[in-house]
Amino acid sequence: MNFELTDEQRLLRDSVDRLIGPAYDDLAHRRRIAAEPPGYSRELWAKYAELGLLALPFSEEEGGFGGGPVETMLVMEAIGRGLALEPYLATVVLCGNLIRLGASAAQREALVPAIADGSLTLAFAHLERQARYDLFDVGTYARRQGSGFVLEGEKSVVLYGDSATKLIVTARTEGSRRDPQGITLFLVDADAPGVSRRGFATQDGQRGAAISFGSVAVTESAAIGTVGGAGPLIEQVADIAIAAIAAEAVGAAAALHALTLDYLKTRKQFGVPIGSFQVLQHRAVDMFTALEQARSMEYYAAMMAAETDAPARRSAISAAKVQINKSARFIGQQAVQLHGGIGVTMEYRAGHYFKRLTMIEQAFGDTPYHLRRLDAGGGWLDAA
Amino acid sequence: MNFELTDEQRLLRDSVDRLIGPAYDDLAHRRRIAAEPPGYSRELWAKYAELGLLALPFSEEEGGFGGGPVETMLVMEAIGRGLALEPYLATVVLCGNLIRLGASAAQREALVPAIADGSLTLAFAHLERQARYDLFDVGTYARRQGSGFVLEGEKSVVLYGDSATKLIVTARTEGSRRDPQGITLFLVDADAPGVSRRGFATQDGQRGAAISFGSVAVTESAAIGTVGGAGPLIEQVADIAIAAIAAEAVGAAAALHALTLDYLKTRKQFGVPIGSFQVLQHRAVDMFTALEQARSMEYYAAMMAAETDAPARRSAISAAKVQINKSARFIGQQAVQLHGGIGVTMEYRAGHYFKRLTMIEQAFGDTPYHLRRLDAGGGWLDAA
Amino acid sequence: MDLRLTREEIAFRDEIRTFLCENIPEAIRNRIAEGRHVGREDYVTCQRILNAHKLATPNWPVAWGGRDWTPMQRYIFGEEVQSNNVPDPLPFNVAMVGPVIIAFGTEAQKQRLLPPTANLDIWWCQGFSEPGAGSDLASLKTRAVRDGDAWVINGQKTWTTMAQWANWIFLLARTNPEARKPQEGISFFLVDMSTPGITVRPIQLLDGGHEVNEVFFDNVRVPADALVGTEHRGWDCAKFLLANERSNIARVGISKSRLRRIRALARAVPAGDGSLWDDEDFRHRVLQVEIDLKALEMTQLRVIASEREGSRTPNPASSILKIKGSEIQQATTELALEIAGPFALPYHDPEAEYPDGANDLPEGFGWADTAAPTYFNYRKTSIYGGSNEIQRNIIAKMVLGL
Amino acid sequence: MDLRLTREEIAFRDEIRTFLCENIPEAIRNRIAEGRHVGREDYVTCQRILNAHKLATPNWPVAWGGRDWTPMQRYIFGEEVQSNNVPDPLPFNVAMVGPVIIAFGTEAQKQRLLPPTANLDIWWCQGFSEPGAGSDLASLKTRAVRDGDAWVINGQKTWTTMAQWANWIFLLARTNPEARKPQEGISFFLVDMSTPGITVRPIQLLDGGHEVNEVFFDNVRVPADALVGTEHRGWDCAKFLLANERSNIARVGISKSRLRRIRALARAVPAGDGSLWDDEDFRHRVLQVEIDLKALEMTQLRVIASEREGSRTPNPASSILKIKGSEIQQATTELALEIAGPFALPYHDPEAEYPDGANDLPEGFGWADTAAPTYFNYRKTSIYGGSNEIQRNIIAKMVLGL
């Protein structure tokens, strides 16, 4: 067992930090970027591409970076620290891995270079209003028509779905609404006839979209992976995404904890730094404990995200998400509390971390969901 | 709405405190009393009788004190504060109320004076090994034989069942094991043929017994209340008992909190009283908050214990038990923690309160049980 | 001991409830229940309806439009206002500056200011907090200097709630910088916000809303009668005001209303083949908050009853109302956030128009977009009015003698 | 970064596991799993088996019977011992006084004391704590005065674990009361408990058991070579010892074993028509503790890995092992108490004979009577070895710089 980074990984981490760190240092600048379409910096996105970050998960043979979960973890930590707005999770982690693991060689050949050079952004149009966290609850329907399909349905809260050039859409080609079987992935142009998008800002300054598909015609070759068999792939990529946002959460929480320590050391009340009050010291220690426990499970999730034994992967990822959620909530709430008034304003960085951490808690399954999933897997201790 | 005690109630409280307060002040004395049969002080029991405490729930017409839930609350608080060992809960609260609410006039005439003068002690032989907290899970069976019944079965953890002169036994006269219908109460001499008792000490220094009934013959007139119809009475008296132990818990928790404050003010470390450390101060405040919330629900339980609308009574009592359990656990654990090493020894009073509070938590339903019961009653807020 | 409402109290409660439901516009009450933005006009409308029926200022003396209610009646009234989703009569007017003017003001000040204060013709805001002062209120730096028959005020206030809607401000300013203790040499002023030299700058809160402000005073000249009470003794007024601020601080009625809504939403939100309310685990967590709230309500009633019984020492239970009340309010926002789940993500400008009763939005559920902002916003409840840490310090010292 | 055990480490683990299961008597392991009393003879038996295979003192130098293991191997060994319900080799001997003698003792002391220490022929106890000192160890009052070729010790120790079974005690005593700082002028002594003047008085703990004692020293004359290390510099030995005491402080293996047992008992205890394990709410609470434990295990591994990587600064994550480890241990006892339910009430003298494997008692369930005593007893885990409050003070200062 070995927790050390390789030299290459260290280099990656440092260069990502150098890129993202200063980019959103200025909150007013961040707000301006968020307010204008596409809601992130295209300039910065190009630099992500230059660094090879957009090619991260793909193999070197097909023009990728050949990175694994540890590399993804390092990038996502930096995104968390930096409060970055770019659609890395949507394009690279979610859609990139769907393509890497599900697409045909021909599809990969067509798509990977465009993702890698930053010209193609993608969004994963999956969630529906009735589904809550159930990954297999898909009501959008793909009806066979000639040699292709016609899509019909509505998707909710599609991350960066308003600006993506292509969408990967889940649709049911057979089965009933909550059937794990019968789901298919389709690659659809975002401006295809019948696709209608309504973009919106998210609570944490990012972008989302509600997307409706009204008789959208797609060819058979638009399907990624086997028709009707996308269930396991969706679950696997959701687990990879959870490991990624776990890393983002740890990046954000560590930065927030550091910010809070600074504040405790510099802010004075009643003539002394507030960090001299024992109650606030112990609160900072409990935040630190929550952070270290989260970091441990971040590493564990990174290790298990690539696990081929699906039940073991599910248990590990769900356990990690529960810990991340718990730590994120505690650290976020306490950081705000220790900052006092300034912590609840948009004018200070702490609150933005708090908001992002809160939204990570709600993403890809909340705590009760993952406890149920872990429980359904027959528990944990014996599987460890 | 009025939280004031009447002059009579104040007088009751003060005289009970004067009686019980000093009786178990000396822990070595308490240990000696607990170690010898019957495990409590017969002398003190006689004084309970003199004060009228043993006649408390019965009407004045039948030689009782005519006390209600508030009077019971005052006595139980004093028992909690005093760490008293007498079987007041078993004889007066549990069996006394079964008799008051269920027995015939003739039965009451025979029993009440003997309870009131201290000559008759009673125990409620109800719990069975498989039942956990389910009040209607009764496997002990009463078979009709001639004009009477024959009892067959085993009872567990019968409070003060080893020294009681008579037992009130629940037995099934019809129905299957967990059927709310078909349960009957029988008054049985503790030394009747076929009754075999094995007494034991309890974790909190009290007494319990395992009692088996092997072909115990009882007459029809031994039945308390209607044959097969004891279910609602059992539940009502269990609710009255919960209100009573809620009061005992508040009495104990308040004494424990006071003890902890004393310790914080007098114990010195690093040259200062440990109560000068802010973290310990805030802990004491959180204990105080838990205590006041418990006290509020103690009052509420006392008010609702006499409620004739059974669903409203159930909800209120279950809510109170949840709050009492939560407060008892927090105050108990933190008191031990703030006392440090001395808190985990038998040589100091704090630990004894902690143990009694812990056992109150486990009595008549733990927190998950009462949450389920409250939930089954259709919830709470609308009923309030 | 009798812990039931008397027949008279029940009749009073029913009367108030009926009055509120019949007289306060339903659209406003719905917006409050849904956690949506309530505008200045909504507050004014409601308070004027109440004031027309002598219900805006029941805590004031009868001579100034108050009611001779018992503490229990006052409590019941406050409860009914909150749990029926009626905006509280503006606390800056009714609970804070009004009683100060009544207790410390001149007859002329009373005549001139109390009627418009009761009717919300004047909207007051509170100029107490300053940057850098935080919990240490007495360290304030704003100065007021006598200049002929005027006072000249310079300084800055912050966290000034709804200052953008206020036309008057009451504030503390230092009039004698040489005083021995920080609490001495402070005076209490009543200032028309249209006086030249006052600037209001909004502070955006985490929910995106505009609720608090910075207020700058740059050589603001106010007349001599802007001073209320005795010169340099403004701390007396402030202490008097802060004691009043504590009443109804538990906000039991608001939490009750929120919990009712949580039950309704959880029944409405799909989960699996049914609704989230089918999940026992979720229901139990709701019940635990409800039990905590019931206990807090009883604690609050104990405090009120002890006031009525005329006990000289304050009921120690009162000290926990703020802490427990804020914890429960925050717990309700966590439950609402959980209900919203992934649909909490879309952001909707809280001050933009929102169609009444719109419950469906293409991006999810219409009601869900208030869940996260309310959760963010309610973090303030354990910070403002003396943070919960400060409250614990006070209880440790004043109640527990530590 | 590779977070899996290497093939060699897995082989090592399996070898240890097999050895323990095949060589340590099953009856003893069952008693530990069930939370029952383990007697002096049980400890001695197990440690002698381990010592015969050079497994009692793997942390000692090879020359003194230790093993040249990596930190990871040591961790795996400790884990396997705990999670297979084998008593830890007596920490007072193996982790505490042994290394002190090795580091500070004379060759004669080593030759004379180390072999019987490893083999538990000498049972050591620790004379550090004193009445009134608590967390403030350096304020100790026990005196040792040089008298010819002997030392004369007077004073009192407390919380002395298993002193009733010990035949030797290591202790700190003040040899120079004039030293400038409380830590100076203290010396470290090794004392045969049969020396006249030593009295042991039991302290009964909440579980009814006899685990700790007071030890009184009344003019106890010990030879000059009872002193280990330099006169007046005993604090150096104490610091060295306390640093070793921290290893394996998270007690992950014990919590794992307890959680496995919790799963088994919850499946066995009837509730309604099935078992308690059918209750989702209960299972979720177990899972939350298991997740916390998994995270702690990873944290522990991070600490061990950073030791191996030879980092000069200690891994800050190590600071939380004691706090989190005790919280998790206590959480497991709360779960066990919940399983026992009303059957937790009967008390059984923990030191009385208890028939092996007896799972049914007329008063309830045989296993249930250990639930409450263990819950009571484990409250000590957040108190001893520096209370969790002291641990937080240390982390705040040393790690967070507050």
Side-chain angles (χ1 to χ4, degrees), chain D residues 228-344:
Chain D
V228 72
T230 311
E231 191 179 338
H232 307 324
R233 304 282 307 209
W235 194 251
D236 296 346
C237 304
K239 273 197 305 186
F240 173 84
L241 180 151
L242 291 172
N244 289 328
E245 193 189 5
R246 286 175 65 91
S247 70
N248 226 344
I249 203 163
R251 294 164 72 89
V252 169
I254 284 178
S255 291
K256 265 190 198 167
S257 161
R258 290 190 54 80
L259 282 164
R260 276 198 210 99
R261 185 164 159 78
I262 280 164
R263 284 174 167 265
L265 291 179
R267 285 195 181 95
V269 72
D273 283 326
S275 80
L276 183 59
W277 193 248
D278 297 332
D279 177 1
E280 188 189 46
D281 181 52
F282 179 78
R283 292 199 308 276
H284 282 194
R285 276 177 291 121
V286 174
L287 285 172
Q288 283 176 302
V289 179
E290 290 179 1
I291 292 166
D292 224 14
L293 180 62
K294 185 74 198 172
L296 182 64
E297 184 179 26
M298 294 301 292
T299 304
Q300 167 100 63
L301 289 168
R302 287 167 54 206
V303 171
I304 290 164
S306 69
E307 283 172 22
R308 195 182 41 186
E309 288 156 18
S311 158
R312 274 136 304 171
T313 53
N315 189 323
S318 71
S319 319
I320 66 178
L321 298 177
K322 165 68 166 51
I323 293 174
K324 210 65 218 175
S326 61
E327 287 174 355
I328 290 171
Q329 287 175 74
Q330 291 177 338
T332 66
T333 68
E334 296 189 23
L335 291 170
L337 187 65
E338 178 175 348
I339 296 172
F343 306 106

Side-chain angles (χ1 to χ4, degrees), chain B residues 261 264-265 275 281 285, chain C residues 393-402:
Chain B
L261 285 180
L264 291 175
K265 289 172 189 174
Q281 290 177 350
V285 170
Chain C
N393 284 347
I394 294 170
I395 297 172
K397 191 173 166 194
M398 309 298 284
V399 183
L400 306 185
L402 290 169

Side-chain angles (χ1 to χ4, degrees), chain C residues 9 18 21-22 29 40 106 115 149 154 190-192 196 206 216 224 234 246-247 250 263 285 293 304 320 350:
Chain C
E9 285 162 350
T18 306
C21 292
E22 288 179 355
R29 290 191 290 122
R40 190 186 200 279
T106 62
D149 59 352
N154 278 288
L190 310 174
V191 174
D192 185 333
L206 286 184
F216 298 88
R246 286 175 64 91
S247 68
R263 283 175 168 264
R285 277 178 290 120
L293 180 62
I304 289 163
I320 65 178

Side-chain angles (χ1 to χ4, degrees), chain A residues 295-338:
Chain A
R295 195 184 291 286
S296 291
M297 291 306 265
E298 172 205 14
Y299 292 166
Y300 187 59
M303 169 173 92
M304 295 297 283
E307 174 64 52
T308 49
D309 173 357
R313 187 197 71 224
R314 275 196 286 266
S315 291
I317 295 291
S318 284
K321 187 62 165 40
V322 170
Q323 178 68 56
I324 294 289
N325 281 359
K326 189 173 144 191
S327 293
R329 179 165 297 198
F330 182 76
I331 294 168
Q333 291 183 350
Q334 293 306 323
V336 168
Q337 182 71 21
L338 297 192

Side-chain angles (χ1 to χ4, degrees), chain A residues 86 100 145 186 194 228 230 239 286 355 377:
Chain A
E86 284 63 44
R100 176 175 74 89
Q145 194 176 65
F186 292 98
D239 283 347
D286 290 341
K355 294 209 285 185

